[in-house]
Amino acid sequence: QVITHRVNGLLADTSEQWYQYLKLLITDKEYRSKLEQNGLENVLRNYSVQAHLPNLLDIIQGTCKKR
């Protein structure tokens, strides 16, 4: 799961929830920064090239060995 509610983002089901979460993000700079930092860490840890590099190298090396 890319977004974990209240850890690295906010998930809303209703327009009222959207309103409340947007208001929270606008008014609480510290909370907004924490979500931003957690989101960045999640992306770097799970979705970056560096995170997938070992798998990519295995695929490349496996392909080269077959030749």
Side-chain angles (χ1 to χ4, degrees):
Q1 191 170 7
V2 176
I3 298 173
T4 302
H5 185 60
R6 294 192 176 268
V7 174
N8 61 5
L10 297 168
L11 301 171
D13 293 320
T14 67
S15 57
E16 180 62 28
Q17 285 177 335
W18 275 111
Y19 176 80
Q20 292 299 323
Y21 294 152
L22 288 172
K23 183 178 174 183
L24 175 63
L25 293 172
I26 291 167
T27 60
D28 192 336
K29 181 179 180 180
E30 185 176 322
Y31 185 65
R32 185 174 65 242
S33 294
K34 185 66 175 173
L35 289 179
E36 177 186 356
Q37 183 62 37
N38 289 344
L40 177 60
E41 289 172 7
N42 181 47
V43 168
L44 293 176
R45 184 175 47 252
N46 297 303
Y47 303 101
S48 67
V49 171
Q50 290 81 4
H52 290 281
L53 192 56
N55 291 335
L56 293 171
L57 289 174
D58 286 345
I59 292 168
I60 292 168
Q61 289 172 344
T63 301
C64 291
K65 287 179 183 179
K66 290 179 183 178
R67 290 182 172 202

